[in-house]
Amino acid sequence: MKKNIILWLAVSAVVMLALPWLAVTLVKGDAGMAVCFLLFFALNPLYSVIFGVFAGKDMKHLWSLPVISAVLFLIGTWIFFDMGEMAFVLYAAVYLALGIVTMLISMIIRKKVQR
């Protein structure tokens, strides 16, 4: 289980920290804006949902993973885009809500299947 947690934390660091850095560093101009839209509206929400499903498998031990993912997103965007921008707090809250809701749904489905 600890190997899975470490793996998911490493993937979270890549998705929430490295991808914004790559978007800022490698992609310039209007293409950079398109990449940011893909990150903020497609990849990060999808990742939060997948992360929540994984955390729902053992919610007692993995409840903090959606929180960590949202915090990493906030740190990454504040470092690479604009420090203190409050819009990113809203995005982080949405990603956190997605992760928590899917974690709860995954837990409920898992309990029903086990019965």
Side-chain angles (χ1 to χ4, degrees), residues 5 9 51 55 58-71 96 103:
I5 293 172
L9 289 176
F51 209 56
D58 186 11
M59 199 168 111
K60 187 189 322 184
H61 295 105
L62 304 176
W63 65 269
S64 63
L65 291 181
V67 175
I68 292 170
S69 177
V71 169
L96 177 62
M103 178 176 63

Side-chain angles (χ1 to χ4, degrees), residues 5-6 14 20-21 35 42 47 97 103 106 108 115:
I5 293 172
I6 292 170
V14 168
W21 173 76
V35 169
Y47 179 72
M103 178 176 63
S106 174
I108 291 168
R115 289 184 197 177

Side-chain angles (χ1 to χ4, degrees), residues 15-93:
V15 170
M16 299 299 184
L17 293 173
L19 290 181
W21 173 76
L22 286 172
V24 169
T25 306
L26 299 179
V27 185
K28 301 295 180 199
D30 291 337
M33 182 63 79
V35 169
C36 288
F37 279 138
L38 283 173
L39 276 175
F40 295 155
F41 295 118
L43 186 72
N44 288 345
L46 181 65
Y47 179 72
S48 295
V49 167
I50 292 169
F51 209 56
V53 169
F54 171 73
K57 291 181 180 180
D58 186 11
M59 199 168 111
K60 187 189 322 184
H61 295 105
L62 304 176
W63 65 269
S64 63
L65 291 181
V67 175
I68 292 170
S69 177
V71 169
L72 283 174
F73 167 78
L74 195 58
I75 290 169
T77 53
W78 277 357
I79 290 172
F80 301 118
F81 291 105
D82 187 18
M83 183 61 76
E85 177 64 41
M86 295 310 291
F88 294 133
V89 174
L90 178 64
Y91 284 109

